Amino acid sequence: MKRFASALLALSLLLPGIAGGSAAPEGFEEALRGGGLALYADFATGNVALEGPGGALWRSNPEGQDARARGVHRFTLQSQIAVTYQNERGTSLSLTSAADSVNAGGLRMQAQGDELLAEYDFPKARIRVRVYYSLGPGFLRVRVPVEGIEPYALEDGSRNLNAVTAVDVLPLMGAGGEDDRGWLLVPDGSGALIRFNNRVTSMVEYSASVYGKDHGVEGQLGLSDALALQARTREETVRLPVFGVFHERNGGEALLGVVTRNDAKASVLARVSNLTSWNYAWSRFRVRNAGSMMMNSKEFGASVIGVSERDGLTRGDYEVRYYPLSGGDATLAGMAAAYRGYLREEMGLENRVREGEYPLYLELYGQVKKPAQLLGIPYTKAVTLTTLDDAREITDTLGVPQAVVRWEGWMPDSSFEFIPQDARPAGALGTAQAMAAMDADLRARGGALFPSADLLNVYRGGRGFWPIRDAVLSPVNAPQLQFKPSYASRAADTAVPPWYLLSPARYANFFGRFFASWRTLGVEGLSLRALADICTSDNRSGGTGRGEVPGIVRGVLQALGAEAMLDGGNAYAAALARHLLDTPAGSSGYTLCDEAVPFYQMVFHGFIPYGIGQANHAADTRAFLLRCLEYGASPQFMLVGGNAWELADSRLAFLFSPDWRAWEEEIREGYAMLSSVLGAVAHLPITGHRNLEGGGAVTVYGGRTAVYVNYSQEDLALDGFTVPAMGYLVREAADGE
């Protein structure tokens, strides 16, 4: 036995992560070890340091003092958490752990089994926050239980009316200084990089809610005033709950952050060295949504007061994992692979792409209703756009074997009207038997038919939907109406009536009822509009918090038990999809961000086929096809089989040039070009990507095929070869690409 113990000890000294390892940094003690990592802690300040592969050290806080930082920023650099709360007057206030807890003697830090507990008491606000650290295989887990965020009673025993609204977790973890070279990854749209020390001062920080706006809090669409000033194009939705930092030191070191619990209540933030000397990205946990409302009184007139989300709508833990990467893994592709590994191990992501599978996505609209007049008497008429026979003609004429059709507006009274309930095609469009036959024929050729249903956006009450019971409600228990923005401004379009959103608490009921009807059709797949795009809370009394929505949506998809086509692609649902449409095709273009990257696509390529929007809605179709080459995406086309002129004054007026005959040659030629390149690499992951000076980019598929694209009007000369203007070039990937 002693001989075995001696051998194990000797082996542990050679293998990191079992025992032993590097000495603790000065002022720190080893707190945890396991999973190939070690965590050190300064029990006096709360600082922690994570030792990753190869001995790389990731500190929660920078060393030394920062002469540039002033006021609260100086204390933020020394803090592991920051707390935002509302007092009894509705005023929003902030606390930092360094100034308001540690310096006030409020820190208690101790090891508890395989976890390290840091409890922060903020005496001034009478608030306590508990943070737990633990190590998993290759990652540091930071856990903040909701029940561990608590205001405690005042000294006289009276109730403390302070309400915590947000907690920032390890904001400075892995920060880079003024003398460092590297970048920050933020999940803006497809992803964006922020270079260290990029000298941008016009935008202080990047801040975006994971999975976009909460429609249960904000009914009207549009940019916030602050972001509108920074946006060059449009605000992109954050689809992945990730962020990261890369340092060029030691041949490359990277740290990927992934929000793994209550991700729908998270925001991702980032700053460069403007107010301080540091560059950093982090996550914020929105414990309660906070807003404001106008109050009127005879004595004081109109006043604005702060309001926060009800107690109890946020449950469970907030959890962030940090994956340290080094060597060849310390790249953008390495970060994508680490996140993909998490999705595979814990979120159900599987390889659903067959070798050579490269679909052409055709979004065909069956019918639409619009106002009309007969002898001066107004009525609503149904206009037939694309029948099943039309769909067959389109796919047969195009001759593309892998045509995947999403059929919209095929059910009577469901498009922009009642919530879908009876899954049967409108009589003028075809029969259920014809639908099943077309699906079988398309699948025999490598394609498929996906009839589409939107159960989240409900435009009329009735047919089993009762707004006060089934719709998302505001905190005052009234329906939270949704509005279409005007093209000319961010105000609501008064010509379009507002509509409801289905409450997440009612998803199982309404989706289950519809699935039972849909299964009688005999088709193998279903497109579920908005399910992976909208993540909304229901703020009624006893409502559903936004943090619960990912689990509810995943339950719906598992109950479907068939192939799902999803659009938008929020991570929790995307992992279970068979096809993803309208995935982000770039970033918002904020002034703080230096370049857009296809990080979203790097996560899913080779596992789920996807599109990045409609080619026939692009300002430049050629540039769009080149973007498909860069992002590894399939082209999408929104089309109708006939009566395109009838779309005017209808809810489908947003379809531009949808007549399929006008696009026939362009579809055929564009798909042929793309499939000749991407068909051979469809099953491979994206292992590298780099934006090139002069308006180009290179994407490496599977470590073996490099695809260069050139968006400029001039040839792009590189080392030994040239990429033609508005063209592309396919080469064998060089070593290191």
Side-chain angles (χ1 to χ4, degrees):
M1 187 68 180
K2 289 183 178 180
R3 183 179 302 171
F4 174 76
S6 299
L8 182 60
L9 177 61
L11 181 63
S12 70
L13 296 176
L14 297 175
L15 298 178
I18 298 179
S22 304
E26 185 177 354
F28 288 74
E29 301 177 37
E30 182 176 306
L32 301 170
R33 182 172 289 274
L37 309 172
L39 184 70
Y40 306 103
D42 182 336
F43 288 82
T45 64
N47 290 6
V48 296
L50 174 66
E51 182 183 350
L57 199 65
W58 298 96
R59 294 177 179 270
S60 62
N61 303 88
E63 296 181 272
Q65 298 294 320
D66 184 357
R68 179 183 295 182
R70 295 286 186 274
V72 67
H73 302 293
R74 180 165 58 89
F75 290 110
T76 298
L77 295 179
Q78 304 168 23
S79 298
Q80 297 79 53
I81 63 171
V83 175
T84 306
Y85 70 99
Q86 281 188 347
N87 63 16
E88 67 278 7
R89 297 182 180 87
T91 303
S92 184
L93 302 168
S94 299
L95 304 166
T96 62
S97 60
D100 301 294
S101 179
V102 176
N103 290 354
L107 172 65
R108 183 174 67 90
M109 202 171 191
Q110 62 180 18
Q112 295 183 343
D114 59 356
E115 288 190 311
L116 174 66
L117 166 65
E119 183 177 88
Y120 297 91
D121 187 359
F122 298 87
K124 182 174 66 175
R126 298 293 193 270
I127 290 170
R128 186 178 294 114
V129 179
R130 298 183 183 91
V131 181
Y132 293 86
Y133 300 92
S134 60
L135 297 175
F139 61 83
L140 166 67
R141 179 189 292 110
V142 183
R143 183 170 63 90
V144 183
V146 171
E147 63 271 18
I149 304 171
E150 55 184 12
Y152 53 86
L154 303 177
E155 293 177 355
D156 60 3
S158 59
R159 185 184 176 194
N160 184 353
L161 297 179
N162 293 333
V164 176
T165 56
V167 177
D168 291 30
V169 179
L170 296 185
L172 274 296
M173 186 72 176
E178 286 184 305
D179 298 327
D180 294 323
R181 294 175 61 86
W183 42 259
L184 306 171
L185 167 68
V186 292
D188 182 53
S190 63
L193 302 185
I194 302 173
R195 299 287 175 185
F196 286 0
N197 312 307
N198 65 8
R199 299 184 180 181
V200 172
T201 58
S202 59
M203 185 175 180
V204 174
E205 72 179 18
Y206 170 85
S207 177
S209 297
V210 173
Y211 309 137
K213 61 170 282 187
D214 185 343
H215 295 256
V217 178
E218 307 169 75
Q220 187 169 321
L221 305 177
L223 298 172
S224 68
D225 291 337
L227 291 179
L229 294 174
Q230 302 296 341
R232 294 177 187 149
T233 52
R234 69 187 184 102
E235 183 183 16
E236 294 285 347
T237 300
V238 169
R239 301 295 184 186
L240 306 179
V242 301
F243 55 94
V245 58
F246 169 81
H247 289 260
E248 291 186 6
R249 66 194 181 202
N250 302 323
E253 295 175 351
L255 186 68
L256 175 69
V258 180
V259 183
T260 53
R261 293 188 187 179
N262 261 313
D263 41 321
K265 299 284 287 188
S267 296
V268 171
L269 302 93
R271 287 188 172 186
V272 294
S273 56
N274 42 40
L275 299 177
T276 72
S277 299
W278 298 91
N279 309 269
Y280 48 100
W282 75 101
S283 71
R284 173 176 294 161
F285 176 34
R286 299 189 312 281
V287 184
R288 294 176 178 84
N289 285 318
S292 60
M293 62 182 295
M294 186 74 72
M295 293 289 290
N296 292 289
S297 65
K298 292 182 178 180
E299 294 84 1
F300 303 105
S303 61
V304 177
I305 65 169
V307 294
S308 60
E309 191 177 47
R310 299 175 187 273
D311 290 342
L313 289 190
T314 301
R315 304 177 179 91
D317 296 345
Y318 182 69
E319 182 180 290
V320 188
R321 295 185 184 181
Y322 294 89
Y323 292 82
L325 307 169
S326 61
D329 294 328
T331 62
L332 191 65
M335 290 182 178
Y339 181 54
R340 185 168 59 244
Y342 163 75
L343 293 177
R344 296 185 68 182
E345 292 168 10
E346 302 194 30
M347 299 297 286
L349 176 64
E350 297 176 356
N351 192 323
R352 302 184 179 98
V353 176
R354 300 181 297 270
E355 186 171 352
E357 180 180 6
Y358 184 70
L360 166 67
Y361 293 117
L362 301 175
E363 300 176 67
L364 306 181
Y365 286 79
Q367 66 176 10
V368 67
K369 291 187 176 181
K370 61 179 293 185
Q373 289 188 355
L374 179 63
L375 301 177
I377 301 174
Y379 74 102
T380 300
K381 71 174 182 178
V383 177
T384 298
L385 301 172
T386 311
T387 66
L388 282 170
D389 288 341
D390 292 333
R392 278 188 177 275
E393 180 186 2
I394 293 170
T395 55
D396 290 346
T397 303
L398 291 176
V400 175
Q402 298 189 44
V404 174
V405 175
R406 173 157 72 178
W407 199 26
E408 302 277 2
W410 57 281
M411 293 178 286
D413 301 329
S414 65
S415 182
F416 303 105
E417 290 192 274
F418 298 103
I419 191 168
Q421 190 176 45
D422 185 9
R424 59 183 175 84
L429 302 181
T431 65
Q433 293 78 10
M435 286 181 66
M438 182 172 180
D439 182 43
D441 290 348
L442 288 174
R443 288 181 181 274
R445 291 181 282 174
L449 173 67
F450 283 82
S452 185
D454 180 1
L455 278 74
L456 265 62
N457 295 287
V458 186
Y459 298 86
R460 292 178 63 181
R463 306 283 176 89
F465 179 87
W466 185 27
I468 200 67
R469 180 193 65 192
D470 302 317
V472 165
L473 302 188
S474 71
V476 294
N477 291 327
Q480 182 69 62
L481 296 175
Q482 307 298 302
F483 299 88
K484 181 181 182 296
S486 168
Y487 289 115
S489 70
R490 291 186 296 109
D493 187 340
T494 56
V496 178
W499 64 95
Y500 309 106
L501 285 178
L502 180 65
S503 169
R506 304 293 290 165
Y507 285 6
N509 180 277
F510 280 90
F511 277 92
R513 186 185 311 168
F514 180 77
F515 290 166
S517 179
W518 165 80
R519 291 188 183 100
T520 65
L521 292 175
V523 295
E524 296 185 33
L526 180 63
S527 169
L528 293 171
R529 275 280 190 183
L531 187 63
D533 183 36
I534 293 177
C535 186
T536 178
S537 60
D538 183 350
N539 290 290
R540 72 176 70 213
S541 301
T544 304
R546 181 167 151 121
E548 299 176 70
V549 174
I552 293 173
V553 169
R554 288 174 59 80
V556 167
L557 292 172
Q558 289 161 352
L560 173 63
E563 293 184 352
M565 173 183 283
L566 303 174
D567 57 305
N570 291 343
Y572 52 85
L576 300 177
R578 179 61 179 88
H579 294 275
L580 290 170
L581 269 60
D582 298 315
T583 66
S587 67
S588 303
Y590 298 136
T591 54
L592 188 64
C593 300
D594 293 289
E595 56 183 293
V597 291
F599 185 81
Y600 186 98
Q601 288 73 23
M602 295 173 86
V603 171
F604 290 107
H605 193 273
F607 285 79
I608 299 175
Y610 53 81
I612 56 172
Q614 295 75 31
N616 58 325
H617 279 197
D620 185 330
T621 306
R622 177 67 179 182
F624 179 87
L625 297 179
L626 293 177
R627 182 57 61 93
C628 287
L629 288 174
E630 180 189 354
Y631 277 45
S634 288
Q636 300 173 221
F637 289 87
M638 277 184 170
L639 305 168
V640 298
N643 292 328
W645 60 274
E646 289 270 28
L647 296 176
D649 299 322
S650 79
R651 292 297 292 268
L652 297 182
F654 62 86
L655 294 175
F656 301 116
S657 183
D659 190 334
W660 75 275
R661 295 174 185 82
W663 288 92
E664 179 182 342
E665 289 303 316
E666 198 155 358
I667 292 173
R668 188 182 293 113
E669 293 173 2
Y671 177 80
M673 180 193 82
L674 295 175
S675 62
S676 67
V677 177
L678 296 178
V681 299
H683 63 295
L684 301 175
I686 295 176
T687 54
H689 177 272
R690 180 165 49 97
N691 289 313
L692 305 172
E693 292 185 10
V698 56
T699 304
V700 180
Y701 295 92
R704 66 190 192 196
T705 302
V707 179
Y708 292 80
V709 296
N710 179 7
Y711 297 103
S712 73
Q713 299 296 326
E714 299 180 357
D715 291 351
L716 183 60
L718 300 174
D719 188 14
F721 59 94
T722 299
V723 185
M726 292 299 294
Y728 67 96
L729 183 68
V730 181
R731 291 170 52 90
E732 182 179 347
D735 292 339
E737 278 192 315

